[in-house]
């Protein structure tokens, strides 16, 4: 069951690219941009992550913390972060429990093959922990414009 606007965001703790635990509840008081992406170092995911990197000042002005979540292991997201100088937390959701809690662990299909994976979805979570915006199946190149507009800091 997917969470939606007006719902309290499910709390979680996941390791970031440096193996440090990051908890959603530890970020209360700030808006949080929680984006789920399918796999590190793939074309769409790289476009999306580099967009976040390139708009760091805009997110900062909005007071927002951006967290990227994929089912990749810590080692893989660490390589991805280093390769593209991604100076924001990427979180390893290897057992996809967080993706499932947010309703974004879905059946996908490519080249006639079906498999389970993260749907590219972004949740904007208010300082009170309540979801204010949801962007499902967002196009990587449009991600930052949509999210920053939702935060009121398009720039």
């Amino acid at each position: 069951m997917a969470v939606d606007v007006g719902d309290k965001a499910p709390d979680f703790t996941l390791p970031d690219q440096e193996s440090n635990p990051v908890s959603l509840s530890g970020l209360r008081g700030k808006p949080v941009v929680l984006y789920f992406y399918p796999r590190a170092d793939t074309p769409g995911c790289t476009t999306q992550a580099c967009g976040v990197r390139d708009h760091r000042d805009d997110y900062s002005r909005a007071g927002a913390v951006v967290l990227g979540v994929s089912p990749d292991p810590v080692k893989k997201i660490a390589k991805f972060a280093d390769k593209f100088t991604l100076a924001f937390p990427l979180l390893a959701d290897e057992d996809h429990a967080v993706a499932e809690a947010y309703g974004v662990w879905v059946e996908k299909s490519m080249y006639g093959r079906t498999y389970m994976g993260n749907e590219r979805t972004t949740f904007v979570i208010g300082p009170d922990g309540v979801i204010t915006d949801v962007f499902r199946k967002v196009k990587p190149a449009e991600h930052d414009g949509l999210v920053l507009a939702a935060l009121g800091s398009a720039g």
Side-chain angles (χ1 to χ4, degrees), residues 63-120:
V65 175
V66 180
L67 304 173
V69 180
S70 79
D72 297 306
V74 169
K75 192 172 183 174
K76 185 167 182 185
I77 62 173
K79 276 180 69 174
F80 182 46
D82 288 346
K83 182 176 179 180
F84 294 100
T85 320
L86 305 174
F88 61 93
L90 296 175
L91 307 179
D93 183 23
E94 285 190 78
D95 65 1
H96 47 83
V98 176
E100 287 184 43
Y102 280 81
V104 300
W105 186 252
V106 299
E107 185 175 279
K108 302 171 95 174
S109 164
M110 190 182 324
Y111 308 121
R113 179 177 85 86
T114 60
Y115 60 97
M116 297 299 289
N118 276 2
E119 175 182 83
R120 190 180 308 280

Side-chain angles (χ1 to χ4, degrees), residues 7-140:
D7 293 342
K8 186 166 177 55
D11 194 21
F12 61 81
T13 301
L14 289 173
D16 69 8
Q17 64 265 43
E18 296 168 359
S19 295
N20 297 317
V22 175
S23 295
L24 182 62
S25 57
L27 299 171
R28 289 284 186 274
K30 299 177 181 179
V32 174
V33 175
L34 179 65
Y35 82 89
F36 290 86
Y37 63 99
R39 280 203 352 230
D41 209 3
T42 56
C45 298
T46 299
T47 296
Q48 187 172 19
C50 289
V52 169
R53 177 199 66 201
D54 296 346
H55 287 90
R56 183 175 53 212
D57 290 345
D58 298 319
Y59 287 108
S60 214
R61 271 193 292 280
V65 175
V66 180
L67 304 173
V69 180
S70 79
D72 297 306
V74 169
K75 192 172 183 174
K76 185 167 182 185
I77 62 173
K79 276 180 69 174
F80 182 46
D82 288 346
K83 182 176 179 180
F84 294 100
T85 320
L86 305 174
F88 61 93
L90 296 175
L91 307 179
D93 183 23
E94 285 190 78
D95 65 1
H96 47 83
V98 176
E100 287 184 43
Y102 280 81
V104 300
W105 186 252
V106 299
E107 185 175 279
K108 302 171 95 174
S109 164
M110 190 182 324
Y111 308 121
R113 179 177 85 86
T114 60
Y115 60 97
M116 297 299 289
N118 276 2
E119 175 182 83
R120 190 180 308 280
T121 302
T122 299
F123 297 87
V124 179
I125 303 166
D128 58 357
V130 173
I131 297 168
T132 60
D133 294 273
V134 179
F135 301 101
R136 296 194 183 283
K137 297 183 182 177
V138 67
K139 289 179 174 47

